[in-house]
Amino acid sequence: MDKSVLVATEGLTATLGFSLMIGFGVLFLILAFIIKHGLIKSTHDFIISNRKVGLGFGVGAVISVWTWAMAVMMSSAMTYQWGLSGLFWFVVPNGFAIMAMVPLARILRRKMPEGYTISQFAHTRFGGSKAASVVVTIAMIFGILLETLINIKGTSVVMSTVFPIDWQTVVILTVVVVMTYVFFGGLWTSVMTGTFNTWMITTPAAIVVVAVYAHISGGATAVFEAVRAADPTNLSVFEADAAAGFGITLAFGLLAAVVADQTFWQKVWAVRKEQVTRTFLWGGALFYPIPICLGMLGLAGLAFGLTPEELGGDIVAVGPYVVSHIGLPLILVLTYVLVILAACYSTIDGAASALSSIIAIDIVKRFATGTREKTLFYITRFGMILGGVISGIIVLSGVDFTTLVLTTYALKTSILLPLILAIVWRKTNTAGFVSGIVLAIVIGMPLRHLYGEMVGTFSILAISAGVVVLAGLFTREEFDMDKLLEAHKDELAHKAT
Amino acid sequence: MSGLLIFFLIIGAAATALYAAGYVTGIRQSFADVEEDKEIAEYKDSAYTVTIALAVIASAVIIGLVGVNPIFVYAGPLLAVITTFMVGFAFFFERMMRASGNY
C-alpha cells in the first residue's frame, strides 16, 4: 500500500488541545459539584459511595479504570509488532483478569460485607499482623502511583505529539484537572465520570476505526491483502513468538494487576452486594471489544509498511499516527484524542479514589484510631491530592520509572497467589504469607534479572505459593472466616459528625 | 461517506441514546437511594464459570477470524458499539430487578 498518502492532519492547534483537556475537566467538575451536594456527607460516602453503586455505574467504572491510555495504544502497537498473535495475547488475558475477580470478590463481599480495602482484609485475616498489612498496603500504594504515573505520562505523550504543546504543561494540567474534580466527589465522581468515559472509549472509538478503514483505498480487503503479502504469519493467532515474547508473562502480570489492586477491591465493596458478580462478569466481557476494535489500527499500520522510525521510534504511537495521517476530518482526529484522554482521566481518578480509601482505612484509622470524622475527611482528600502531586513531580523530574516498575512488579506478582490463598484457603497463616512474599522477591527478582522475565515470573509465583502452602500444611491452625464479619462493624462513621 | 460508516454512525447513535437514558436513570437512582436503608437480604449469585469461558473463547475466536476474512475487521468496532448498548442496558436491567424484587 502506498504510504505517501499518509499526511499529517492540519488545524491541530495548541488552543484546541488545551480546550479539550480543560473542557473535559470542567464537565466533570460540574458533575462533581452535583455529586458533592447530593451524595457526599462523610468519609464513608467519599471512599466507598455508601456501598450503593449500581450495576450500570459499576460496569462502566470497572471498564474505564481497566482501560489505561497505554491499553488504548498498546492494542494497536502489539498488533503492529506481532500481528494478530500480538493482539490475541494482549486482549484475551486482559478481559479474563477482570472476570477472575468474581470468585474472590464474592467470598470477601459475603464474609466481610463492611470492608473497605484489601490491606484491611490482610490485617484482620492475619490477626492484626503489621507485617502482613504493611506489605499489602505498600504494594497497593506502589501500584496506584505507577498507574497514575503511566497515565499522566501517556496523556503528555499523546497531547504533546498531536498538538504543539509542551509535555510538561500537559503533565501539570492533567494533575490539576483530575485532582480538582475528584477532590469534590471521591469515588462517586470517579464511577460517574468513568462510566461517561466508557462511552468515549467504545462508540466514538469504533467510529474512528471504521472511518480510518473507509479512508483507505480498497478498505479492509486492501489492508488484509497487504498484510498477507508482507507476511502471512501476521494474520495468524498461533505464532509462538508473541506468546514467548510477552504474552505469557503479560497474562500473569495482568492478573496480578487486578487482584493486587485496591482500585478494583474498592469497587468490590462499593457496588451493591447483589450486583458484585454481574459487575465484574459484565465488566470483563464488555471490555474485550475495546482493544479488539483499536487493534485494527495496528493492522492498518502493518498494511502501510510503517517503520518504527516513521513513528518517532516508539511503536506505541502507531494508532495516533495512523489516525492523524490517514486524512480523517479534524473532528474525528479530535475524537480519537478524546478517547485517549478519557482512558487517562478515568484511570487516574480511579487510582486517586483507591488511594483515598487506603489513606483513610490503612493509614489514619489504623495508626490514629481516635481521629475525628471531620479531620479524617480532610486528611483523606488532601492525601489523595498529595498522591497526584507526587506522581506529577516524578513525571516532571524526568526520572526513569524502571525502579518503580520493577518494585511494583515484584510486590504485585509476589502477593498475587498468597492473597488468593488467604481468601480461599483457611490454613494460610501469617508466617507463610509474609515469608512467601519476602522469599519470592529475594530469590525471584535475581532470577528474573539473570534468566529473563518468564523464568523470573514463574519463580516468583512458585516460591510465593509454595511457601504459603508448606507453612499451611505444617500447622494445625485454621482461620475462621466468620471473624472477618465481626471485625469490621462501624470502621467509619456512616454519617458526617 | 461509505455505507459502512453511515451504518456505524446510526447504530452508534442508537446505542448512545440508550446509554444516555441509562446514565440519567442511574444518576436519579443514586440520588433517590441516599436516604434508603433497605437492605437486599436475599439474592442469588449467578453462575460464572461458563460465562467466563464463553467470553474468553469468543474474544479469541473473533481475533482469529480477522485473519480469515477482512469483513471481521469490523467485528471489533461493532462489538464496541454493543458494549455501549449493554452498559446503557445495565441501568435498566437493574431497575427491572428492583421492580420485580428478583435479584
Side-chain angles (χ1 to χ4, degrees):
Chain A
M1 285 171 67
D2 179 16
K3 65 171 114 175
S4 67
V5 299
L6 300 173
V7 180
T9 303
E10 290 180 1
L12 296 164
T13 62
T15 313
L16 210 48
F18 286 128
S19 305
L20 291 181
M21 290 188 75
I22 296 168
F24 231 25
V26 170
L27 178 71
F28 291 163
L29 190 59
I30 294 168
L31 191 58
F33 269 118
I34 297 168
I35 289 165
K36 179 181 177 287
H37 289 293
L39 297 174
I40 310 294
K41 293 187 177 69
S42 63
T43 311
H44 178 76
D45 297 332
F46 191 81
I47 66 172
I48 214 79
S49 300
N50 205 14
R51 307 188 199 285
K52 285 181 178 172
V53 175
L55 180 63
F57 284 129
V59 173
V62 164
I63 293 173
S64 68
V65 294
W66 192 226
T67 312
W68 293 22
M70 293 306 260
V72 170
M73 296 185 280
M74 284 296 279
S75 50
S76 314
M78 290 298 101
T79 312
Y80 169 77
Q81 186 174 12
W82 304 96
L84 291 178
S85 296
L87 186 62
F88 176 92
W89 281 102
F90 183 77
V91 171
V92 175
N94 240 306
F96 175 75
I98 297 284
M99 293 185 285
M101 277 291 281
V102 170
L104 306 173
R106 272 159 77 140
I107 293 171
L108 283 200
R109 190 61 201 266
R110 279 197 185 274
K111 294 290 181 188
M112 192 174 147
E114 304 282 326
Y116 292 91
T117 71
I118 194 66
S119 316
Q120 182 194 22
F121 159 74
H123 187 257
T124 312
R125 173 69 176 77
F126 297 112
S129 161
K130 280 205 170 84
S133 58
V134 166
V135 78
V136 176
T137 304
I138 291 172
M140 297 305 135
I141 292 174
F142 268 89
I144 286 167
L145 271 181
L146 187 65
E147 59 196 77
T148 308
L149 287 175
I150 288 176
N151 281 280
I152 292 174
K153 183 79 179 171
T155 317
S156 72
V157 168
V158 172
M159 295 305 287
S160 61
T161 303
V162 177
F163 301 96
I165 305 176
D166 175 45
W167 71 270
Q168 290 163 317
T169 311
V170 178
V171 170
I172 295 167
L173 198 55
T174 304
V175 172
V176 170
V177 165
V178 179
M179 292 304 141
T180 304
Y181 73 74
V182 177
F183 180 82
F184 291 104
L187 184 61
W188 266 124
T189 304
S190 175
V191 297
M192 288 189 183
T193 57
T195 304
F196 176 84
N197 286 334
T198 292
W199 172 75
M200 279 301 308
I201 55 185
T202 50
T203 290
I207 287 165
V208 168
V209 171
V210 173
V212 164
Y213 276 81
H215 270 72
I216 296 172
S217 176
T221 307
V223 169
F224 187 85
E225 293 304 333
V227 172
R228 184 156 63 183
D231 184 357
T233 61
N234 279 330
L235 291 175
S236 166
V237 292
F238 299 112
E239 292 304 306
D241 289 357
F246 79 99
I248 294 170
T249 47
L250 179 77
F252 285 103
L254 290 170
L255 210 53
V258 175
V259 175
D261 192 335
Q262 172 60 15
T263 311
F264 293 97
W265 284 109
Q266 187 183 28
K267 285 166 184 65
V268 167
W269 281 295
V271 169
R272 288 178 166 278
K273 62 185 177 187
E274 69 276 13
Q275 303 296 356
V276 170
T277 298
R278 281 186 202 93
T279 294
F280 283 91
L281 212 50
W282 289 35
L286 294 174
F287 166 84
Y288 274 130
I290 299 165
I292 296 177
C293 170
L294 291 158
M296 297 305 112
L297 296 175
L299 213 55
L302 273 177
F304 279 110
L306 295 174
T307 62
E309 291 71 34
E310 287 168 315
L311 302 172
D314 191 349
I315 63 162
V316 170
V318 67
Y321 184 90
V322 169
V323 171
S324 59
H325 287 72
I326 201 81
L328 293 183
L330 186 62
I331 183 76
L332 286 176
V333 180
L334 296 179
T335 302
Y336 181 73
V337 173
L338 282 175
V339 168
I340 295 173
L341 265 186
C344 283
Y345 281 13
S346 55
T347 307
I348 298 169
D349 69 36
S353 294
L355 184 61
S356 72
S357 63
I358 291 172
I359 292 168
I361 301 299
D362 302 317
I363 298 175
V364 180
K365 289 301 279 187
R366 186 160 306 147
F367 297 103
T369 46
T371 308
R372 290 173 57 230
E373 162 62 22
K374 201 172 179 181
T375 313
L376 178 67
F377 199 18
Y378 280 113
I379 293 173
T380 300
R381 295 204 288 177
F382 283 104
M384 183 181 74
I385 299 298
L386 186 64
V389 171
I390 290 171
S391 302
I393 290 170
I394 293 173
V395 178
L396 284 173
S397 71
V399 296
D400 191 359
F401 295 171
T402 309
T403 309
L404 184 64
V405 169
L406 280 178
T407 311
T408 308
Y409 160 86
L411 282 166
K412 286 204 165 195
T413 315
S414 60
I415 276 178
L416 174 65
L417 293 180
L419 198 55
I420 292 175
L421 286 166
I423 295 169
V424 301
W425 195 43
R426 289 164 184 260
K427 288 180 78 70
T428 305
N429 56 46
T430 313
F433 184 81
V434 176
S435 54
I437 293 167
V438 172
L439 285 174
I441 293 172
V442 170
I443 301 170
M445 286 307 279
L447 287 175
R448 181 185 184 274
H449 182 70
L450 287 173
Y451 300 108
E453 200 153 358
M454 199 179 311
V455 172
T457 301
F458 281 114
S459 304
I460 290 174
L461 291 169
I463 294 165
S464 61
V467 172
V468 172
V469 171
L470 278 175
L473 291 175
F474 278 108
T475 58
R476 286 187 179 175
E477 66 178 276
E478 280 196 14
F479 181 74
D480 177 8
M481 293 295 271
D482 289 337
K483 283 184 180 170
L484 294 174
L485 186 69
E486 297 162 15
H488 297 289
K489 290 286 182 196
D490 299 323
E491 181 86 43
L492 288 179
H494 287 207
K495 298 285 179 194
T497 52
Chain B
M1 198 182 282
S2 76
L4 209 54
L5 184 55
I6 294 169
F7 169 73
F8 270 90
L9 285 171
I10 293 168
I11 60 166
T16 300
L18 180 73
Y19 199 91
Y23 195 91
V24 172
T25 303
I27 288 181
R28 282 185 179 156
Q29 190 64 58
S30 302
F31 278 84
D33 286 348
V34 169
E35 300 302 332
E36 180 235 37
D37 283 326
K38 197 179 117 190
E39 279 284 315
I40 309 292
E42 284 298 314
Y43 64 94
K44 56 175 186 281
D45 270 335
S46 51
Y48 59 85
T49 321
V50 175
T51 313
I52 292 176
L54 286 176
V56 170
I57 292 167
S59 70
V61 169
I62 289 161
I63 296 168
L65 286 172
V66 176
V68 175
N69 191 306
I71 193 69
F72 288 103
V73 160
Y74 299 105
L78 180 63
L79 290 168
V81 175
I82 291 173
T83 292
T84 300
F85 182 90
M86 288 302 293
V87 177
F89 171 72
F91 290 101
F92 295 104
F93 184 62
E94 185 176 14
R95 197 167 73 168
M96 284 188 280
M97 278 191 286
R98 282 174 176 230
S100 66
N102 184 12
Y103 294 93

